[in-house]
């Protein structure tokens, strides 16, 4: 992983995650696909990789969270 990529382990299924976020599973799937198309997210089994984090979140917020 490079410094602009964050790995998130998903402790639940996609349908459980959608329920937790109060979304329909198909809405979550569309949102994830949109992020994949924009090349800011990659999904591998139970992990999500946020790629090019500064593109998603302003740099100041990213730097504060890593301190």
């Amino acid at each position: 992983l490079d410094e602009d990529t964050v790995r998130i382990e998903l402790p639940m299924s996609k349908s459980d995650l959608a329920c937790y976020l109060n979304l329909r599973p198909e809405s979550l799937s569309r949102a994830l696909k949109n992020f994949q198309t924009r090349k800011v997210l990659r999904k591998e089994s139970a992990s999500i990789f946020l790629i090019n984090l500064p593109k998603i979140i302003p740099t100041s917020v990213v730097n504060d969270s890593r301190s």
Side-chain angles (χ1 to χ4, degrees):
L1 297 178
D2 63 45
E3 67 180 35
D4 291 337
T5 300
V6 174
R7 178 182 178 187
I8 301 170
E9 287 288 324
L10 298 177
M12 58 187 80
S13 69
K14 197 164 36 171
S15 62
D16 288 342
L17 180 60
C19 184
Y20 178 78
L21 297 171
N22 200 26
L23 295 170
R24 294 190 337 225
E26 55 272 19
S27 297
L28 177 60
S29 290
R30 278 193 299 273
L32 293 174
K33 183 66 176 169
N34 183 317
F35 285 128
Q36 288 176 314
T37 300
R38 293 171 45 201
K39 304 211 184 303
V40 294
L41 179 142
R42 185 176 80 239
K43 184 163 180 347
E44 291 180 15
S45 88
S47 296
I48 286 182
F49 295 85
L50 299 177
I51 305 162
N52 194 1
L53 202 55
K55 185 176 179 181
I56 305 168
I57 302 171
T59 305
S60 59
V61 173
V62 173
N63 290 336
D64 288 346
S65 70
R66 292 186 178 181
S67 298

